[in-house]
Amino acid sequence: KSDFNRPQISQQSHLLPGHQRRKNKTKSKKRNSMASKPIAKPTKVLNWEDFYKKTDNANKLMDRVWYCIACTEKDVGDQKIFWEHWYWKEGEESKDLTKGSKAASNHTLTISAEGKEIDYPIWPLSFTTKSMKMYPAIDLKCLVIAPIGLSMQPVAFPTDDSRVEFRVDFCEVMGKKMYFVFVLDPNMSEEDKTRNFDILEKENGVLREWFHDVQWEANYEIGSTGEPDINPK
């Protein structure tokens, strides 16, 4: 999901007092220095046994809207809306995962800061006891195809539908490493975000400086861009 345009943010540092400009430059150099470290694989992930235990065999992924608040893909920083609605395909929820794969679906919508809306075709999802795969759908007008599966590695997942904890997925495509941060509430406080990013860095080796934030407006109204208001309260 990388069809995005990153906004250009201008900082009028010449309007600041001299000591503040120097302070900002120091912070900027620090960020750039840390960001220069290449994006790497997490040093710790959720193993599949723990992942399925924490997600109740993936049921806590489903019938929920996941709000993306940050990603290592820089163009995601141009988005002001980015959500994914995950749900089981009909007849799949009751299947025993130990006896075969289970199929689900992902409906994604993004809106850029400039107002460009993309309502993506439904992406198929596939689960086994040792994998979670996502199949990007391609709309050929005459039909929609999803030929390539992306293997997603869970890094973190909220406990008991917590609205103040991150869900973090990692994937690698043709050598490119990517992280996605999702939450159940896009109005998460900055304090909670900082706490979660600190945990990611300390426990998983995932740096805050790798991420670009989605430009969610303050006090976003759930359901205002068409997503169902279904997340556990």
Side-chain angles (χ1 to χ4, degrees):
K1 298 177 185 181
S2 57
D3 183 20
F4 303 113
N5 295 311
R6 185 188 180 193
Q8 299 298 315
I9 301 175
S10 174
Q11 295 185 349
Q12 295 178 313
S13 60
H14 64 281
L15 299 179
L16 298 172
H19 74 281
Q20 186 65 46
R21 289 202 303 271
R22 289 192 295 272
K23 186 176 180 181
N24 285 356
K25 287 180 180 178
T26 301
K27 288 182 178 179
S28 179
K29 286 180 179 178
K30 183 178 180 181
R31 284 197 300 268
N32 290 339
S33 175
M34 296 184 73
S36 65
K37 183 177 180 179
I39 297 173
K41 292 181 179 180
T43 56
K44 178 185 177 183
V45 299
L46 280 173
N47 64 48
W48 292 106
E49 182 179 356
D50 288 343
F51 171 71
Y52 281 117
K53 182 178 181 180
K54 200 162 191 179
T55 63
D56 184 25
N57 290 320
N59 288 319
K60 288 186 177 180
L61 273 166
M62 304 301 161
D63 295 323
R64 287 156 176 79
V65 175
W66 294 98
Y67 297 90
C68 183
I69 62 168
C71 179
T72 52
E73 286 292 278
K74 64 179 182 179
D75 292 343
V76 172
D78 185 44
Q79 305 307 303
K80 65 177 183 179
I81 302 292
F82 182 168
W83 54 255
E84 299 185 356
H85 174 205
W86 285 41
Y87 54 95
W88 290 118
K89 294 188 70 173
E90 188 174 353
E92 294 291 304
E93 181 177 359
S94 61
K95 286 186 177 180
D96 185 346
L97 194 62
T98 63
K99 296 180 179 179
S101 63
K102 296 179 67 171
S105 298
N106 166 15
H107 173 209
T108 297
L109 182 132
T110 63
I111 302 177
S112 73
E114 291 77 26
K116 180 181 179 181
E117 179 176 321
I118 301 179
D119 192 350
Y120 288 84
I122 301 299
W123 287 27
L125 306 167
S126 176
F127 294 84
T128 72
T129 55
K130 299 293 182 182
S131 71
M132 174 172 69
K133 289 187 176 182
M134 184 180 293
Y135 295 81
I138 303 171
D139 189 351
L140 300 178
K141 304 307 178 185
C142 57
L143 77 163
V144 175
I145 62 173
I148 302 174
L150 304 180
S151 295
M152 310 300 294
Q153 173 61 60
V155 178
F157 195 85
T159 302
D160 296 329
D161 291 311
S162 172
R163 299 168 77 88
V164 294
E165 294 180 18
F166 283 176
R167 167 191 158 197
V168 182
D169 293 336
F170 169 79
C171 70
E172 189 168 359
V173 182
M174 299 178 66
K176 186 172 188 179
K177 300 172 179 63
M178 294 181 286
Y179 290 88
F180 294 84
V181 175
F182 295 97
V183 295
L184 290 169
D185 182 0
N187 296 312
M188 179 185 285
S189 71
E190 291 302 317
E191 181 181 4
D192 285 327
K193 291 177 186 178
T194 297
R195 177 177 55 81
N196 279 274
F197 275 118
D198 285 347
I199 292 172
L200 273 180
E201 183 165 343
K202 293 174 183 176
E203 297 187 4
N204 307 97
V206 179
L207 301 185
R208 173 68 176 98
E209 290 74 19
W210 291 343
F211 289 88
H212 304 271
D213 296 345
V214 176
Q215 300 178 47
W216 289 97
E217 63 184 25
N219 300 314
Y220 170 78
E221 182 182 350
I222 302 298
S224 61
T225 55
E227 79 277 25
D229 184 2
I230 56 175
N231 289 349
K233 300 295 191 290

